[in-house]
Amino acid sequence: MEDCGALFATERYGSGESWHYVAKDGAMESRRDGREDESRGNSFGGLFKSVFLPQGYPESVSGDYLQYQFWDTVQAFSSSLSGTLATQASLRGVGVGKQEATVAAATVTWLLRDGTGMLGRIVFAWLKGNKLDSEAKKWRLFADILNDFAMFMEILAPFFPAWFTLIACTSGLFKAVVGVAGGATRAALTAHQARRDNMADISAKDGSQETLVNLAGLLVSLILIPLVTDNPALTISLFFLFTALHLFANYKAVRSVVMETLNEERLSIALRRFLHDGRVLTPMEANRQEPVFLEFRKTLPIKLGVRLQEVVQSPEEFRLALMRKGAPFLLGITNGCVRVCLAAHARTRDEIRATCQAIWLSDVLSPRRQHGLSEMVHKSYKLMDTEFDAFHKGLEAAGWDVTRTLLDWDEWRLEWKPKIR
């Protein structure tokens, strides 16, 4: 019987390769675990994986990475084709191919469009920048819907020459919003996918995937352009087809994301279920129920991390609040809004508890109710005194990351003296 040697070491490259090292006749030999020879197909697959997937895949990324990237690839491809149709319409609108068109007029239209977009980018980032982390799924989907609407406006613009500049500027404004919302939420999702602090690698490979998809879209566009030129009906029909595919893929993409950090929506879903039957939902269960479309609130709005003067209006109210609660936050209801003032020494656990109380109050109170508010606030403290410890332990046991949150806290923090005269 042939001497196979004595095994003295084994090494792995993630879950992709495994090698054994054996000592035989005083020498060291390395042997691949499994088949010794790889086929051409496997070699190509390994190369493709190393070029387009993060190093260490699948261990280095979140479990939802592959499903999300698949649908993201589908939406990028369909968006690339829709963009080709929109670009052709924009060029026709500024006069490309018309003898009476002037370079100056086309340039002015383009500059006005770009300038409007720049201003819109600044204003949107100022107004909504702090929401893009806590509501990444909603704003991601919103950005893609708005992008499709902007491209539809570009396709229709040549049919309204007198309004072309206004339509082009409006479309540019929408696309600027798309750029901010899409880029910021992509960064938030990349942070979620990175399991080894490898955000840069994931982002770079995402760029490679998108470039490959855009290249495929470019090749298909070369076939489409001759077919849709001077054929508005076919252009619009194809646009609606690609848009439907784009929106469906985007919906599936954001639905596939399972985030283990708590934002207001996921926390409220988990809290309601716990208060109903004592069970804490897992991240997978709560993410499936999380709404992914922006919606108008039917309950009292919640503002976290507000100034003290938004919660109490006098030293007496402040003294009573401290005597009644004793928690590292103050909670009140003013002007139809649940407001939370956070202490400077509050921890992440305190932030979660304060948000839980605010969510409960928002659910049980009507926006028009103006009486009995202080009693309901007091009741919320008593409820959390009884239930929160078990709920917090349940969150940890269910797999939630309670060391950090995506709750939309503002930056105001309060320090107070033990006694107030």
Side-chain angles (χ1 to χ4, degrees):
M1 185 174 182
E2 183 181 356
D3 181 17
C4 296
L7 175 69
F8 67 88
T10 301
E11 66 179 358
R12 294 180 179 275
Y13 186 85
S15 59
E17 290 184 57
S18 178
W19 290 79
H20 300 310
Y21 290 89
V22 299
K24 183 177 180 182
D25 299 329
M28 182 178 74
E29 293 185 4
S30 60
R31 298 173 183 173
R32 187 183 179 90
D33 187 19
R35 292 188 303 173
E36 294 287 341
D37 299 322
E38 285 189 289
S39 66
R40 180 183 178 91
N42 285 339
S43 298
F44 177 78
L47 177 63
F48 184 88
K49 180 178 177 180
S50 66
V51 172
F52 293 103
L53 293 176
Q55 181 178 349
Y57 172 86
E59 289 84 4
S60 62
V61 295
S62 60
D64 55 17
Y65 177 83
L66 187 62
Q67 186 177 2
Y68 174 82
Q69 292 301 126
F70 170 78
W71 289 112
D72 190 54
T73 298
V74 173
Q75 71 86 17
F77 179 72
S78 55
S79 181
S80 176
L81 298 180
S82 298
T84 298
L85 301 177
T87 300
Q88 185 196 41
S90 295
L91 293 175
R92 187 167 62 249
V94 297
V96 174
K98 297 180 181 179
Q99 294 182 352
E100 64 273 15
T102 65
V103 175
T107 303
V108 168
T109 299
W110 225 255
L111 290 176
L112 287 173
R113 173 188 172 181
D114 288 348
T116 304
M118 293 174 187
L119 292 174
R121 189 176 297 114
I122 294 172
V123 173
F124 179 76
W126 169 52
L127 293 175
K128 295 296 182 181
N130 62 325
K131 298 287 186 182
L132 301 179
D133 279 306
S134 59
E135 298 180 344
K137 295 183 187 180
K138 291 183 178 181
W139 285 106
R140 177 72 179 173
L141 190 57
F142 170 81
D144 287 299
I145 294 173
L146 189 61
N147 187 52
D148 288 334
F149 185 71
M151 288 191 291
F152 182 60
M153 292 179 65
E154 290 178 347
I155 289 177
L156 293 181
F159 299 104
F160 304 92
W163 298 92
F164 179 83
T165 300
L166 177 61
I167 295 175
C169 289
T170 305
S171 173
L173 176 63
F174 289 166
K175 286 194 171 184
V177 172
V178 170
V180 176
T185 53
R186 181 181 293 273
L189 293 175
T190 300
H192 155 70
Q193 293 171 339
R195 288 297 189 257
R196 294 180 180 172
D197 294 326
N198 55 339
M199 285 183 59
D201 185 30
I202 290 178
S203 181
K205 296 302 171 57
D206 185 67
S208 297
Q209 296 169 20
E210 189 169 348
T211 301
L212 180 64
V213 170
N214 288 336
L215 179 60
L218 176 64
L219 296 176
V220 175
S221 296
L222 292 175
I223 301 174
L224 284 180
I225 290 299
L227 299 177
V228 300
T229 301
D230 300 323
N231 191 337
L234 181 59
T235 299
I236 294 177
S237 298
L238 288 175
F239 175 79
F240 279 120
L241 175 63
F242 297 144
T243 298
L245 177 61
H246 179 240
L247 294 178
F248 175 75
N250 269 294
Y251 176 79
K252 296 291 288 185
V254 297
R255 270 288 176 220
S256 69
V257 175
V258 179
M259 303 186 99
E260 298 87 4
T261 45
L262 293 162
N263 65 356
E264 187 179 320
E265 291 286 356
R266 293 188 286 274
L267 180 58
S268 63
I269 291 168
L271 178 65
R272 290 177 190 129
R273 183 57 182 267
F274 176 78
L275 294 178
H276 180 261
D277 60 13
R279 189 170 79 88
V280 178
L281 298 177
T282 65
M284 174 71 76
E285 293 170 326
N287 276 266
R288 285 176 179 171
Q289 298 180 34
E290 182 184 7
V292 294
F293 293 101
L294 293 174
E295 55 191 357
F296 295 102
R297 294 187 67 105
K298 297 180 181 179
T299 56
L300 265 66
I302 297 173
K303 290 188 178 181
L304 306 173
V306 302
R307 302 187 66 183
L308 176 63
Q309 63 188 20
E310 298 183 48
V311 178
V312 298
Q313 280 71 47
S314 69
E316 181 63 24
E317 286 187 28
F318 183 60
R319 183 164 43 245
L320 291 174
L322 291 180
M323 289 174 59
R324 188 171 63 239
K325 285 94 179 179
F329 58 86
L330 301 177
L331 188 147
I333 305 171
T334 57
N335 299 323
C337 181
V338 182
R339 304 173 193 269
V340 182
C341 181
L342 191 65
H345 62 275
R347 300 170 299 168
T348 303
R349 174 190 172 92
D350 301 318
E351 294 179 2
I352 297 174
R353 168 171 171 162
T355 308
C356 286
Q357 287 187 221
I359 289 171
W360 183 82
L361 283 170
S362 177
D363 286 345
V364 300
L365 292 176
S366 166
R368 296 184 178 181
R369 179 172 176 174
Q370 299 296 324
H371 63 280
L373 299 182
S374 61
E375 289 81 0
M376 295 303 296
V377 170
H378 183 63
K379 186 176 180 180
S380 73
Y381 278 92
K382 292 181 64 177
L383 177 67
M384 287 300 118
D385 287 340
T386 303
E387 304 289 348
F388 181 73
D389 285 344
F391 177 60
H392 190 265
K393 291 178 181 177
L395 289 174
E396 289 186 280
W400 291 96
D401 181 1
V402 295
T403 62
R404 60 189 182 93
T405 71
L406 291 175
L407 299 171
D408 188 22
W409 285 92
D410 206 344
E411 297 303 311
W412 291 104
R413 297 296 182 268
L414 180 67
E415 295 182 9
W416 59 78
K417 297 180 179 179
K419 294 183 179 180
I420 302 174
R421 294 181 181 180

